[in-house]
Amino acid sequence: MKIEKEMTCIVCPNGCRLEIIYEDTLTVKNALCPKGVEYARNELMNPVRYLTSTVRVSGGVLPLVSVRSNKPVPKDKLIEIVQFLKNIELKAPVHFHQLVCKDVLGTGADIVATRKVIKK
Amino acid sequence: MILEKDVVIIGAGPAGLAAAVELAKNGVKDIVVIEREPFAGGILNQCIHDGFGVIKFNEVLTGPEYAQRYIDEAEKLGVEIMTSSMAIDINRDKEVTVIGSKGIIVFKAKAVILAMGCRERTRGAIGIPGTRPAGIFTAGVAQNFVNVKNIMIGKRIVILGSGDIGLIMARRLTLEGAEVIAVVEKMPYSNGLARNVTQCLEDYGIPLLLSHTVVNIEGRERLKSVTVAKVDDKGEPIRGTSKKFDCDTLILSVGLIPENELTKDAGIDMDEVTQGALVDENLQTSIEGVFACGNVLHVHDLVDHVSNEAEKAAKSVLRYLETKCENGQRVKVKAGKGIRYVIPHTISGKKDVTFSMRVDRQWTDIKLTFLNGSNPIKSFKYKKLNPSEMVVVNLKASELKDVESLEVAIDED
Amino acid sequence: MKNCFDVIIVGAGAVGCAVARELSKYKLDIAVLEKESDVAAGTSGRNSAVVHAGFNNKTGSLMAKLCVEGNLGFEQVCRELDVPYKKTGKLVVAFDEEDLKGIEKLMDTGKKNGVPGLTFINAEEVKSLEPHVGGIGAMLSPNTAITNPFIYTVALAENACQNGVKFYFNTEVFGISKQKDKFRISAGGKQYYCKYLVNSAGLYSDKISSMAGDKNYKIYPCRGQYYILDKRTSKFLSMPVYPVPKPGIGGLGVHLTPTIEGNILIGPSAEYIKTKCDYSVTRDVMNQLFKGAKELLPPIGAKDVIGNYSGIRSKLVGPNIGGFGDFVIKESEVVEGLIQLIGIESPGLTASVPISKRVRDILGSKMDLVEKPGFISQRKGILEFRKLSNEEKDRLIRECPEYGEIVCRCEHITKREIMDAVENPLGVKTLAGIKYRARAMMGRCQGGYCLTRIVEILTEEYGIPVEEITLRGKNSKLFEGRVK
């Protein structure tokens, strides 16, 4: 089976328009850096995305803390993870890069805070 | 109360912070940064997505993380940031009037850096016909509600404008459980980064309607629907192409406007195209000792460029504080064919200069050429240039020597 | 009996609130029933804010008489009620010979109506007053003024409230019956009773009249669309400038009116519409308006536009009939005790206090009106921080630090003013209510900066749940709920 497609690499703002041919081996054209090749491979086999979202905080100067996954997670699990994060409420103070959830939904990625939230 | 300061910086967003840190690193300690929010960080605080810092730090950071870098450094260097305070006036004598909870302070500054950022273009300004129900938000406001205030703005959403803010919000709202029905874009191409079209629209199956616009808003109390029509190459709606979309929320991502009310009140000369101040190669405005950088000068697409520009402004302030007089800027820089604007507006021809510009439409396989009169000085080749992408190029003093008049233009050969 | 009043006023527009205030000077139990969430929700909040001199009204009509009377007394009322007022004067500009004849007619009508000071000025004098406006000559009306119609109506209502009048919002009247000499009004899920019913329901005054048993009236809605221009255009215009009305056109040509805060209004247009609540702005009219405005005032441009709105006139004459429809201010011939205020279009705002005095007279002819001792005639509004000097601002902030926090950056509105607006005596808690009382969200960014901060104040300082925050009450909710 031969797969031929075009896709935009999302790793950096350059957004290289990649041409991919997969038939036994993978050929990637137009990538300005090796990260693009890796991205293309993942997109074909197991598309992943970094997740950024928010988590509720109680007793802090802000009601939410922004969070991110420290690794990309499977694309089709993004919405599920965001739903799951709704169940978490952190108590202020929240520290910068505080671990919010380890190995979220078994994806191997941790969710960490991307800012601090001090107590009210 | 009247206080004297070496430097007053207006805005502790990415531009203000980078400028402050650069000044403090170089020994200028008598600085105050005026910030109207209770926290420093500016708009980055609500940009919880990633993509920041790729150029500056070779890392992929979220907005708050990028801001934290500078906030931490500023703290380490002892930079004074006056939060919950708003500058309400600047005059030609570089006196900055600030309102805060302690009263009114007038700072008598040796130098001022304008770093106030932008505001968003509104529904009112673009005149979409129809009613004025609840449920219409500009993208930045929606972003603040959803990401900072923990408030969900609607369930069924149409987004007008495919710039990065609109695309980012399409993803954000979808992840948080809303239905984004479509992103509507007046131009025949998206105004945002290609990666954002992929990771914000294609990933979620959100249709992008190019060459379309919202021609009517319906709903008495809360938005009920919007009417969308195709537009011709002049941007005018084409009769018979209207379609109604039932929705309860309309997000407008229709442009940013540099927030220059203080600048205008001070009588500083403005550029009609950028809606920011006219500046020389030192980023100095028409008032001596007042400098501008970041989004207040011209709308940027990457915060990395904002930081670089702010550092430049800070370096200029350092020189200004020492020598108090700058070289005459006699060479005007002209935006030629295909170029919407270029900054700075004047140069001396004696120093290295970083030029920032935007093209007026999509161009492919072209050269960007700097000309002295009709003589080409330097060219840069590009496969593709978009209006949504700010172009930054550097020219050396040696290349600009003896320049009489400078023009930047697109060369299609 | 509960909900029993001497007088019930239906409609809390400028006229209804003026009547409420006037009658509150007497020993009467008064209630105002308003179907929307705030005062001035209809025509009273959607007009040019001009206090007309009265030269454009048919001689001998109530409109003419009460307009002139209202104009002369307006400044005093504004002083008592702490309402912004500015006697700018007005120019009616001629561009051709026909226009000059039109001016002659206006001056004649004005004179007959008792309007003081109308003068013809030549092109040079026009230029010296308004350098950006052209024309071959103009009529200057020195008595024309501008005000803030929201604050005016709010002030009348608050003063009436201070003096005992009860206001019921979100209380739409569904049925009216008369039992002996009492009206029974079904409204907002309750029954209200009164001896005298004042019908000041504006666009719906025909409906109220019909409900009460007087089916003699029909209101034809006629919409007017407006542009609002940025305050930076205020340097181009210091007083209302209208072209001479050309016969045959339903409206009055494209008008330019400075507002009391320094914006410029373009409009209104005039088009009859089918439904009374269609406040849309339409592309064709908007284009027409802007084109006309630019001809009258060349320095304005598209970048100066900050918004649009529309208002709907309550006309007693329909589109195919044409002609003139005067104010209806009288007791109904069919239903005793029903005091009709119907067809109150321009100059309704200007004439609002004289109309209220007419209502008092009608009532006075039917019952003994006993003056109420201790009537509070003065009302104080929200302190406008932005209008103070820096020294005054500084002093005020030290007394009250909430003045030191600017919430609306375009208009420089402070947190204290927002809170005063939320804490208003009428108990209105909508965003539009805050907007019109404090001026927040009315600047060039249209709430882009302050909306999130105002919502934070509502939720954090006043504990209002996000789901209950509305733009104009009822179903105009802003939010779904919490994200997390």
Side-chain angles (χ1 to χ4, degrees), chain A residues 8-13 49-50 52-54 61-64 66 68 75 78-79 82 86 96-97 114-115, chain B residues 39 45 48-50 54 60 62 64-65 68 146-148 150 172 175-176 193-195 198-199 203-204:
Chain A
T8 304
C9 176
I10 63 167
V11 177
C12 89
R49 299 282 183 268
Y50 275 100
T52 55
S53 184
T54 53
V61 291
L62 293 170
L64 296 173
S66 47
R68 68 177 305 162
K75 181 170 117 176
L78 285 171
I79 292 192
V82 172
K86 282 199 170 137
F96 185 70
H97 281 167
T114 54
R115 65 167 295 138
Chain B
F39 315 99
N45 284 326
I48 66 162
H49 50 282
D50 65 14
V54 175
V60 180
T62 61
E65 287 169 318
Q68 198 62 44
V146 172
N147 294 347
V148 180
N150 193 20
R172 190 82 196 96
L175 282 176
E176 295 301 342
L193 298 168
R195 73 194 286 237
T198 297
Q199 64 186 354
D203 272 8
Y204 302 96

Side-chain angles (χ1 to χ4, degrees), chain C residues 418-467:
Chain C
I418 304 284
M419 293 178 75
D420 286 344
V422 177
E423 294 167 15
N424 69 82
L426 298 175
V428 175
K429 297 267 184 281
T430 64
L431 283 171
I434 297 170
K435 175 171 153 182
Y436 297 135
R437 285 165 174 80
R439 176 104 190 136
M441 298 185 277
M442 294 184 85
R444 59 185 63 90
C445 87
Q446 294 283 289
Y449 180 66
C450 58
L451 177 63
T452 55
R453 320 259 331 265
I454 292 173
V455 167
E456 191 176 38
I457 292 172
L458 288 175
T459 55
E460 303 303 304
E461 308 274 350
Y462 296 97
I464 298 178
V466 292
E467 301 83 357

Side-chain angles (χ1 to χ4, degrees), chain B residues 36-37 99-100 103-104 119 124 127 129-130 132 134 141 149-152 155 176 221-222 259 261 265, chain C residues 232 280-281 286 306 308 394 397 404 409 444 448-449 472 474-484:
Chain B
R36 66 190 176 196
E37 291 290 320
I99 287 193
I104 300 217
R119 63 171 188 269
R132 298 189 311 159
V141 170
K149 304 284 192 289
N150 193 20
I151 293 176
M152 194 51 175
K155 279 215 289 267
E176 295 301 342
E221 296 173 280
R222 175 84 192 196
E259 184 64 57
E261 302 312 315
D265 287 340
Chain C
R232 288 202 181 270
S280 310
V281 290
M286 279 161 69
I306 65 172
N308 299 89
D394 191 51
I397 295 172
R409 59 93 197 279
R444 59 185 63 90
Y449 180 66
R472 295 187 199 99
K474 294 193 257 179
N475 295 319
S476 63
K477 292 198 167 81
L478 244 77
F479 308 118
E480 253 323 285
R482 293 285 176 187
V483 180
K484 306 250 149 100

